[in-house]
Amino acid sequence: MARSRTSRTGCPSSRAKRSSRRQRAPPPTRASSRSASQTSSSASSGRRCRGRRPPPPSRCNWCSGPTCTRTTSYAPTWRLRPGRTRPRAAHTRPTSSPPRTRASPSRRCRSSRRSSAWRGCRSARRWRGTRRCSARARRPSGSGSSSGPGAATGPGAASGRRALSDPEVQHFDLAGFELACGHALPAGATLAYKVHGPPVGASKGVILHPTSFDAVHDELEYSIGEGQTLDTSAYTVVVPNLLGNGVSYSPSRMRHAERLAGYPPLLSIGDNVRAQHLLLEHLHAARGAPMAPLSLVYGYSMGALQAYEWAVAHPDHVERIAAVCGAARCGELNGVFLRSIEEALKADAAWDASRGHFTTRPDRGLRAFGSIYAGWGVGAGWYTQRGYASAGFECAEAFVRDSYLPAFANCDADDLLSQIRTWRHADVSRHTGGDLAAALGRVRARVLLMPCDEDRYFTLGEAQHEAALLGERATLRP
C-alpha cells in the first residue's frame, strides 16, 4: 500500500523533499495543519508535480506597461483555467515605457525533461502566451502620415492615393524649381502627369488639360478618348496635376524633415504653368523635336485660371484656350468665399498656427468646410427650384449630408489649404502691374469662354467683361 501511494505523489525529488520537511517540521499550528491537509488531499488526488510556479507578472498582461492602471486588477495568470478568458477592460498604455522584454519564471522547471533548451511547465507557457500584446494595443494613436511622426492628416486624400497608384502616371522632377515666392522645391518634388493618345510629336498637336481644385488626373478621363471632346485619335492629351492636389508635390507628400522645415507659403498659378512648360519642353526633347505651340489649353474652374495664364505668360506657345466656368483672375467675391472655407478649416483645434499645418485630421473643420462649399458649388436654382430632387435626394439637407460632406471628409486639410491659396492669388494682371486690360491685350490665342450663368465665384458678368477686353479674339458661350 505504501509503495502504491508513493508512486502517485510525484517525482522522486519531490517525495524526498516532503519526507525531509516532515522530519524537521515543528508541531503544526492551525494554519500549518490546514496547509498540510491541503497538501495531503492534493497528493491523494493523483495530480503530477508541475514544479515551482512562476511569480506574478509585474506588467499589464495586455499592454505590457509597468505603470498601467490595470496591472493589479486582474487575477494571477496561472489561476485561469483553460478556456477561461479575462475581460478586456479599457485601459491606457503609458506614453513612455521601457522596451518590452519577455519575462520568465525565476527558476527552471525541475519536472521538465523535454530537451536541453528550457521550455517551462504548462503554467509558465500559459503565462507567457497571455503576455502578448494585441494588435489593437500596439497600434499608435492618431492617423499620422507615412512620412513620419508629427505629420498632419495622413498620406493624402483617397482620390490622391488612387491616382498615384495609376500605372500610367508619370512624374517630372522639380527638384530645385524656383517658386515665385522665393522658395526652391526640395529633392523628390515632382509634377505628376499622364499622357493620352499618341506620344508627343507623333500626332497632329498637343492638348493640355490641367486639373482643377481637389481634382486628380483620372477624374478628367470622361472627356478624353477617341471621338470624345478631347479626341486622342488626332491629338496627344497631356493632363498635369495641380501642385498641392496630393499627386504632384503637396503637403501630404512631404517627408517629416521637410514638414518641420516648412511648406512654401504659396504655389501660384504661374508656378504651375512654368512647371508645365518645362514638362512639355522635356517631352518634345525626348522625341528630338523642338517644342511646338499647344493646339489647345482646356481648363475647367482652376484649370481655366491656368489656361488664361498660359495665354498671357506664353502668348507664342498657345493657339487656342477654352475656359469653362473660369476667369482670368480671382475676383473679390470669389476671394470672400475662399477666405470663409479657409477660416472654417483653421477653426478646428487640430490647426497649429505656429507651425502652419494641422497636427491631426480636422474632422469638425472638414465638416464645416463641406457645409459652406455646398452653398457655393452649385447654383441657387439647385436649391430654390429643387434641382436636387431630380438627382434622387429628398431634401436639400440630404443632398448636403450625402454629397458634399462625405466628399470632403477624407480630404487632406493641408492640401486643401495649399490649393485655396493658389486659387485666391490667381491674377494674370500681375504681369502688367495690375492692369487687366493690358494683360489680356497680350493674348494672341483664340479664346472660348463658357461661363455658367449661375456660377457664384466665376460669375457671368466677369466673363462678359473679359470677352469685351479680348474683342474679336474671344467667343462667349454661356
Side-chain angles (χ1 to χ4, degrees):
M1 179 64 68
R3 178 177 300 177
S4 173
R5 182 172 183 271
T6 303
S7 64
R8 295 195 305 268
T9 56
C11 56
S13 61
S14 300
R15 294 198 302 272
K17 279 191 172 184
R18 286 197 296 272
S19 175
S20 61
R21 282 199 296 268
R22 290 193 189 97
Q23 294 176 3
R24 298 192 302 268
T29 61
R30 175 177 297 182
S32 61
S33 63
R34 179 181 179 184
S35 176
S37 63
Q38 290 178 350
T39 303
S40 175
S41 62
S42 64
S44 61
S45 63
R47 293 184 299 177
R48 293 182 58 192
C49 172
R50 294 178 180 172
R52 183 180 178 86
R53 287 175 174 171
S58 60
R59 296 170 180 258
C60 173
N61 290 324
W62 297 110
C63 73
S64 301
T67 59
C68 181
T69 56
R70 313 297 298 187
T71 300
T72 58
S73 301
Y74 298 122
T77 309
W78 56 82
R79 294 181 186 174
L80 295 177
R81 297 176 181 174
R84 182 182 298 180
T85 59
R86 61 178 78 254
R88 286 180 175 265
H91 68 284
T92 57
R93 183 173 182 169
T95 56
S96 60
S97 59
R100 294 182 57 196
T101 56
R102 174 175 292 186
S104 60
S106 59
R107 292 189 182 182
R108 177 173 175 174
C109 177
R110 297 178 180 176
S111 62
S112 177
R113 303 178 183 269
R114 299 183 180 180
S115 65
S116 58
W118 178 77
R119 293 172 179 262
C121 58
R122 279 194 291 173
S123 296
R125 293 199 301 273
R126 190 186 307 126
W127 174 35
R128 292 198 306 275
T130 56
R131 284 182 50 79
R132 299 181 182 275
C133 266
S134 64
R136 184 184 298 272
R138 290 196 302 267
R139 186 177 303 162
S141 60
S143 56
S145 172
S146 60
S147 58
T153 58
S159 59
R161 296 193 298 271
R162 182 193 68 244
L164 284 170
S165 65
D166 186 347
E168 298 182 4
V169 68
Q170 302 179 61
H171 296 270
F172 177 64
D173 187 13
L174 291 179
F177 179 78
E178 293 288 340
L179 302 174
C181 64
H183 287 240
L185 295 187
T190 64
L191 175 65
Y193 67 98
K194 185 173 180 178
V195 178
H196 299 264
V200 172
S203 62
K204 187 177 179 180
V206 176
I207 298 176
L208 189 71
H209 187 14
T211 61
S212 58
F213 179 80
D214 195 37
V216 294
H217 65 269
D218 61 355
E219 295 174 345
L220 309 183
E221 295 180 353
Y222 67 92
S223 61
I224 303 173
E226 295 185 1
Q228 300 295 324
T229 303
L230 306 181
D231 191 359
T232 56
S233 63
Y235 293 91
T236 301
V237 180
V238 180
V239 184
N241 285 271
L242 185 72
L243 296 175
N245 76 337
V247 186
S248 293
Y249 174 73
S250 307
S252 62
R253 301 202 64 204
M254 293 174 64
R255 293 185 291 268
H256 178 53
E258 297 171 356
R259 185 176 292 275
L260 293 180
Y263 186 73
L266 176 63
L267 297 171
S268 68
I269 291 292
D271 294 331
N272 279 270
V273 170
R274 288 192 298 112
Q276 294 164 14
H277 190 274
L278 292 175
L279 167 64
L280 292 173
E281 287 183 340
H282 167 74
L283 294 178
H284 281 86
R287 298 282 299 181
M291 180 175 173
L294 291 170
S295 299
L296 172 67
V297 181
Y298 181 88
Y300 166 79
S301 188
M302 282 188 75
L305 292 173
Q306 298 171 70
Y308 262 115
E309 180 70 19
W310 265 100
V312 174
H314 305 282
D316 296 330
H317 291 83
V318 184
E319 295 178 352
R320 292 179 292 270
I321 69 170
V324 183
C325 297
R329 62 182 178 180
C330 177
E332 293 184 355
L333 178 60
N334 200 343
V336 170
F337 157 68
L338 295 173
R339 177 69 67 180
S340 66
I341 56 178
E342 179 178 352
E343 293 301 320
L345 280 177
K346 291 182 178 179
D348 195 286
W351 171 250
D352 188 344
S354 62
R355 297 184 177 181
H357 62 75
F358 292 91
T359 56
T360 58
R361 184 179 295 276
D363 293 326
R364 297 182 64 181
L366 289 170
R367 184 176 182 85
F369 181 97
S371 299
I372 297 173
Y373 211 111
W376 291 76
V378 293
W382 182 262
Y383 296 107
T384 59
Q385 300 177 14
R386 296 177 57 85
Y388 53 80
S390 60
F393 298 96
E394 297 180 356
C395 58
E397 290 78 7
F399 166 70
V400 176
R401 182 187 66 244
D402 298 335
S403 61
Y404 272 86
L405 296 188
F408 289 108
N410 294 320
C411 287
D412 188 285
D414 287 309
D415 288 352
L416 291 178
L417 282 184
S418 175
Q419 297 173 84
I420 289 172
R421 293 165 184 160
T422 301
W423 183 350
R424 193 172 71 242
H425 290 87
D427 188 358
V428 296
S429 67
R430 76 182 187 282
H431 294 283
T432 55
D435 189 346
L436 181 61
L440 295 181
R442 300 174 58 177
V443 177
R444 299 181 182 179
R446 299 290 300 176
V447 180
L448 175 62
L449 300 178
M450 293 182 286
C452 177
D453 55 357
E454 291 191 352
D455 198 331
R456 298 188 62 188
Y457 36 75
F458 294 117
T459 64
L460 177 60
E462 290 174 328
Q464 292 172 340
H465 178 62
E466 292 165 0
L469 294 177
L470 288 167
E472 296 180 353
R473 294 163 293 172
T475 301
L476 182 63
R477 298 284 179 84

